[in-house]
Amino acid sequence: MRTKILLLLLPALFFAFTSFSQQTKIKWWNPAQNELNVIDGQAWSGETESDYDRLPLKAKSEVREAVWNLSKNSAGVKIRFRSNATEIKIRYKVKGNLNMPHMPTTGVSGVDLYAKNSDGDWQWCKGKYSFGDTITYNFTGITPDNKYGHNKGQEYHLYLPLYNSVAWMEVGVPEDALFEPLPTRKEKPIVVYGTSIAQGGCASRPGMAWTNILQRKMDRPLINLAFSGNGRLENEVVKLLTEIDAKIYILDCLPNLTQEKVYSSEEVKQRIRNSVKTLRKNSETPILLVEHAGYGDASSNNNTKANTDRLNKTMQKVFAQLKSNGIKNIYLLKQKELGLSFEDFVDGTHPTDLGMHKYAVAYEKKLRQILNEPIGKTVTTQPVTQAREPGVYNWEARHNQLLEMNKTNPPKICFFGNSITHYWAGEPKAPRVNGPESWNKYLGDIEVQNFGFGWDRVENVLWRIYHDELDGFSAEQVLFMLGTNNLHLNTDEEIVEGLALTIQAVKTRQPHAKILFIGIYPRRDYEERVAEINLKISQLAGIQNVDYIDIGGVLLQEDGKINETCFNDGLHPNEKGYSRLAPKIRAQLTK
């Protein structure tokens, strides 16, 4: 009886599946065939033998065969795109074994999808996978981010396999869904030269490799040049590192130099010295040297502990020598700071996901100290991107445009802010302008560059400063009118705390520039609140020893309410409003 029922149901099930397949038409996209480069995590884009390799083809004859073969693994390589799809499909083929005895298939050969919403918050996407000749991942039930009504979805980061080589890959979304490939990031990358641990062994999935966790925490491009068992501070590889315009170099190779008969303490010293001197030859880029994190059986195996201690003492000695010889901008991450215990390993050598997370936390703490990128506990002190108005302008593209303009035509005066500044006028051009006559009359002749971004909050400006917008040139003055977009979300104290961190970020990167804080302009229904917080901002300016002006009174009536004739919408000034503000600002600017 059961067999008859099943036979009767099969045609119906087949029809339902066929109908569903016909209704959901998928459009497929191949990242390697995209017109613009979209493969993140490569230092030599367009110079590789295969699409997802990590070293350039020229290195094939320069590095050892083992290093070259491992460079074909796609560790640290990722694809970014924007979509409002409720379903995302991935299909691809790899060239090596799907798994290893001590590391799952999902880490060795799998992919990992993360989303970043309009407020810059990270989210992980769960997918169903099938491993075979062609590997497939299906991410369903995704809730597109339309919090701000733009219907542009959210940004996705697709991390590629840690220990396998990708032959080809395609990303699919429903035919009617928005899909926009995102070009590679333009900020200087973190560059990691390391061992199997840095490559990702033994993370359960690509996103859990400490390098990828760190990339998300710092939200900065990262180049993973870790080669399992073969990260040995070799001159051929270090020379390749010098070709990368890095934010910082990380050398974490001691776990591959443990064989004392092959790598004596003197040999290890020499390799460290040579690596640092090669990197320092034509660059002042920070270099972070890393001690051996230890092994899971250190407490029960004296030989293991002794070997780790020998290497770390060697590292400490050569580090001290380098510092005493006048080598600047080098740093040391110690075993104690990494803080791994026996619970953090798969096999005593390679970290579990817990161990990977500890690695990433220790690295983030160290890098934030070195790069002067501190964060706090409140939202306003945690730098993030945003995409609240992608239907009007591209936030990341504007950021990239400023980075390029800073190189080709560095500004003397930088005016940071939100949409009130962004849509005033000036360069780079905005999609609309509300006060071009007043900008041109009062600011257009003294090289004021518009660093305003629509919808920006304090934490978004902090991200932009941390991500190179004030690097590589010397400004005379930096202006701020910031905080109005935080008023409905944060207390006065939280906003001021974020502003304090922002001032410190500017001082670190532009030590010779004058800083001018402009009080928040009044806005409809917030007049009293704005007056109260401006008092606190003025006190902050005094403590931080920066200039402050409160000019918003020119937009108010005698009763303390805004003059509606000076605004488009109770928040953004019109030409009349800007014409009242502009001469007050001009009077404070560097001539």
Side-chain angles (χ1 to χ4, degrees):
M1 185 64 180
R2 291 180 180 177
T3 303
K4 289 183 179 179
I5 293 174
L6 181 60
L7 289 172
L8 289 170
L9 285 174
L10 280 174
L13 290 170
F14 176 78
F15 176 77
F17 177 79
T18 303
S19 299
F20 177 79
S21 300
Q22 290 173 347
Q23 291 171 4
T24 310
K25 292 183 178 180
I26 301 296
K27 56 184 177 183
W28 294 95
W29 169 71
N30 187 327
Q33 296 176 357
N34 199 72
E35 184 176 352
L36 295 175
N37 181 31
V38 294
I39 303 175
D40 258 312
Q42 289 181 319
W44 294 273
S45 176
E47 300 179 39
T48 58
E49 183 177 56
S50 300
D51 294 325
Y52 302 99
D53 290 357
R54 293 182 290 152
L55 288 180
L57 179 58
K58 67 180 182 181
K60 190 172 185 177
S61 60
E62 299 172 0
V63 301
R64 288 185 298 108
E65 183 179 3
V67 173
W68 174 252
N69 290 337
L70 286 161
S71 77
K72 312 291 276 184
N73 295 166
S74 54
V77 179
K78 61 184 173 68
I79 310 297
R80 296 191 309 136
F81 56 89
R82 171 173 288 279
S83 181
N84 62 4
T86 58
E87 178 181 12
I88 298 174
K89 294 177 177 289
I90 314 294
R91 62 187 184 191
Y92 60 102
K93 184 179 179 65
V94 296
K95 299 177 182 179
N97 294 328
L98 291 178
N99 52 30
M100 296 189 291
H102 62 321
M103 185 171 175
T105 308
T106 49
V108 174
S109 304
V111 296
D112 217 353
L113 188 64
Y114 284 75
K116 188 196 280 190
N117 67 17
S118 295
D119 288 323
D121 299 323
W122 288 105
Q123 302 163 340
W124 178 70
C125 302
K126 177 184 176 182
K128 293 184 178 180
Y129 44 80
S130 174
F131 288 89
D133 184 57
T134 297
I135 302 171
T136 61
Y137 271 72
N138 193 18
F139 301 90
T140 59
I142 298 173
T143 303
D145 179 23
N146 58 1
K147 181 178 179 181
Y148 296 94
H150 51 64
N151 198 33
K152 298 291 183 179
Q154 52 200 1
E155 178 182 332
Y156 289 92
H157 290 217
L158 180 69
Y159 293 96
L160 302 195
L162 299 170
Y163 268 84
N164 221 323
S165 305
V166 177
W168 60 267
M169 169 174 285
E170 291 182 326
V171 180
V173 297
E175 199 171 48
D176 59 350
L178 176 143
F179 185 87
E180 177 188 359
L182 296 178
T184 55
R185 294 271 294 272
K186 304 304 180 185
E187 301 91 5
K188 292 184 178 183
I190 300 165
V191 177
V192 180
Y193 178 24
T195 69
S196 56
I197 299 168
Q199 184 170 337
C202 289
S204 64
R205 47 187 174 83
M208 289 309 297
W210 73 255
T211 44
N212 288 337
I213 299 173
L214 180 66
Q215 180 270 312
R216 292 193 300 277
K217 284 179 172 291
M218 301 298 292
D219 202 4
R220 177 174 287 276
L222 186 145
I223 306 296
N224 188 329
L225 296 179
F227 309 109
S228 183
N230 290 274
R232 302 175 185 175
L233 296 179
E234 293 172 306
N235 195 45
E236 299 82 6
V237 178
V238 177
K239 282 183 178 179
L240 288 167
L241 265 60
T242 64
E243 299 178 9
I244 307 171
D245 186 14
K247 188 71 173 180
I248 186 170
Y249 295 110
I250 296 174
L251 303 182
D252 189 354
C253 292
L254 289 194
N256 283 168
L257 301 174
T258 56
Q259 298 179 52
E260 189 171 5
K261 291 182 179 179
V262 181
Y263 307 106
S264 66
S265 296
E266 188 55 41
E267 173 67 17
V268 173
K269 281 184 185 179
Q270 194 59 39
R271 290 190 179 221
I272 297 170
R273 277 196 294 261
N274 289 345
S275 297
V276 171
K277 289 179 179 178
T278 299
L279 292 174
R280 185 55 74 240
K281 190 173 182 181
N282 297 310
S283 170
E284 292 299 318
T285 300
I287 300 169
L288 177 59
L289 302 173
V290 186
E291 290 186 3
H292 196 315
Y295 295 103
D297 65 341
S299 60
S300 62
N301 188 327
N302 290 333
N303 292 332
T304 297
K305 185 178 185 305
N307 205 13
T308 301
D309 291 345
R310 175 184 69 86
L311 285 170
N312 287 344
K313 287 178 182 177
T314 301
M315 174 67 84
Q316 292 162 16
K317 288 178 181 178
V318 71
F319 177 75
Q321 290 171 356
L322 289 166
K323 294 284 284 185
S324 64
N325 290 339
I327 304 294
K328 297 179 180 180
N329 224 7
I330 59 170
Y331 305 87
L332 180 64
L333 180 61
K334 296 184 177 181
Q335 179 185 12
K336 185 177 181 180
E337 293 175 280
L338 290 167
L340 270 67
S341 73
F342 62 85
E343 301 282 12
D344 299 315
F345 296 90
V346 171
D347 53 3
T349 301
H350 300 93
T352 60
D353 287 355
L354 175 61
M356 288 289 184
H357 186 263
K358 287 186 177 180
Y359 260 97
V361 169
Y363 267 105
E364 181 193 12
K365 182 179 180 181
K366 199 71 174 182
L367 262 59
R368 290 199 177 280
Q369 292 171 355
I370 297 169
L371 301 177
N372 292 299
E373 297 182 11
I375 58 174
K377 293 183 178 180
T378 60
V379 170
T380 57
T381 61
Q382 297 171 0
V384 291
T385 61
Q386 61 100 343
R388 302 183 184 101
E389 205 172 28
V392 178
Y393 80 103
N394 186 318
W395 193 91
E396 183 177 312
R398 184 171 173 84
H399 167 65
N400 290 339
Q401 189 176 7
L402 281 170
L403 296 184
E404 186 60 32
M405 291 177 69
N406 291 345
K407 293 178 183 177
T408 58
N409 187 26
K412 292 183 179 180
I413 302 175
C414 309
F415 196 166
F416 281 88
N418 44 54
S419 57
I420 296 172
T421 303
H422 183 180
Y423 300 133
W424 186 349
E427 296 287 340
K429 292 182 179 179
R432 65 173 185 267
V433 291
N434 296 330
E437 292 182 12
S438 55
W439 179 283
N440 293 335
K441 180 178 180 180
Y442 292 99
L443 308 179
D445 64 329
I446 51 174
E447 298 183 59
V448 179
Q449 192 152 293
N450 190 326
F451 283 71
F453 283 50
W455 281 92
D456 257 14
R457 299 171 186 159
V458 174
E459 57 268 28
N460 307 130
V461 173
L462 186 63
W463 185 98
R464 294 198 280 119
I465 295 173
Y466 281 178
H467 289 75
D468 308 351
E469 284 192 12
L470 286 178
D471 291 359
F473 68 99
S474 182
E476 294 180 7
Q477 193 169 24
V478 179
L479 284 66
F480 288 92
M481 201 297 290
L482 187 62
T484 193
N485 288 332
N486 292 88
L487 290 175
H488 66 295
L489 296 168
N490 305 107
T491 65
D492 291 358
E493 289 71 24
E494 289 171 339
I495 295 171
V496 170
E497 188 178 352
L499 294 176
L501 205 55
T502 304
I503 292 173
Q504 288 303 312
V506 176
K507 286 183 175 181
T508 300
R509 290 154 181 81
Q510 294 287 345
H512 303 297
K514 294 181 180 180
I515 299 176
L516 172 63
F517 238 99
I518 302 171
I520 298 174
Y521 301 150
R523 53 186 290 187
R524 184 189 300 144
D525 300 328
Y526 280 85
E527 291 92 344
E528 291 185 10
R529 172 87 187 276
V530 167
E532 291 173 0
I533 192 171
N534 278 346
L535 178 61
K536 295 182 177 69
I537 294 174
S538 69
Q539 294 169 345
L540 171 67
I543 295 171
Q544 296 281 0
N545 194 28
V546 300
D547 296 330
Y548 173 81
I549 56 170
D550 185 357
I551 58 176
V554 299
L555 304 177
L556 293 174
Q557 302 175 141
E558 291 184 2
D559 62 0
K561 300 296 182 181
I562 65 167
N563 184 338
E564 295 284 354
T565 66
C566 294
F567 291 84
N568 288 328
D569 52 9
L571 171 63
H572 298 90
N574 54 24
E575 186 68 76
K576 179 180 178 180
Y578 283 121
S579 67
R580 294 186 176 189
L581 295 167
K584 301 286 185 181
I585 295 173
R586 174 60 186 256
Q588 302 294 324
L589 298 187
T590 301
K591 302 296 187 294

